[in-house]
Amino acid sequence: MALVEDSTTLSTYLNDFGVSCTSGNTTAKAILEQPDLVLAGNQIVTTDYQLTAKVSDFGNLLAGAKITIDNSVYFVREVRKLDDGNFCEIAIQKR
């Protein structure tokens, strides 16, 4: 049986693991990841915030755009499409 990708199947993953995100007039679920990075020869630990979302929801955000994720404000650094282009990874930062 072939798996058909449509808005329902794409949203299922985000509905299970996502948090509420809003930018402009768009509110949708996306997955927030907060991995720590160790830099400068183990001297600095920083958090590399990333958001995985549907391209149709947040794929057109530009650098500097404001996005509210689970009631916290972040700003877009860059947006990259993943795999077949239905999902994107958004590098974000707190100010």
Side-chain angles (χ1 to χ4, degrees):
M1 185 168 109
L3 176 65
V4 177
E5 278 190 346
D6 59 19
S7 61
T8 302
T9 57
L10 293 175
S11 294
T12 299
Y13 177 68
L14 299 175
N15 288 338
D16 286 345
F17 301 105
V19 294
S20 179
C21 304
T22 302
S23 183
N25 294 327
T26 302
T27 298
K29 293 247 182 158
I31 297 171
L32 176 64
E33 297 181 41
Q34 304 176 66
D36 286 335
L37 295 176
V38 179
L39 306 170
N42 295 329
Q43 299 298 310
I44 300 170
V45 177
T46 186
T47 303
D48 184 28
Y49 298 101
Q50 299 174 38
L51 189 68
T52 302
K54 289 192 301 186
V55 168
S56 60
D57 292 332
F58 297 116
N60 291 327
L61 292 177
L62 300 175
K66 178 179 160 183
I67 184 166
T68 303
I69 304 167
D70 215 17
N71 297 316
S72 295
V73 176
Y74 297 83
F75 294 87
V76 173
R77 290 182 13 228
E78 69 176 347
V79 178
R80 297 176 304 275
K81 288 183 183 176
L82 298 173
D83 303 321
D84 61 1
N86 285 307
F87 287 100
C88 60
E89 184 175 82
I90 305 168
I92 53 177
Q93 65 185 8
K94 288 186 174 182
R95 289 191 184 159

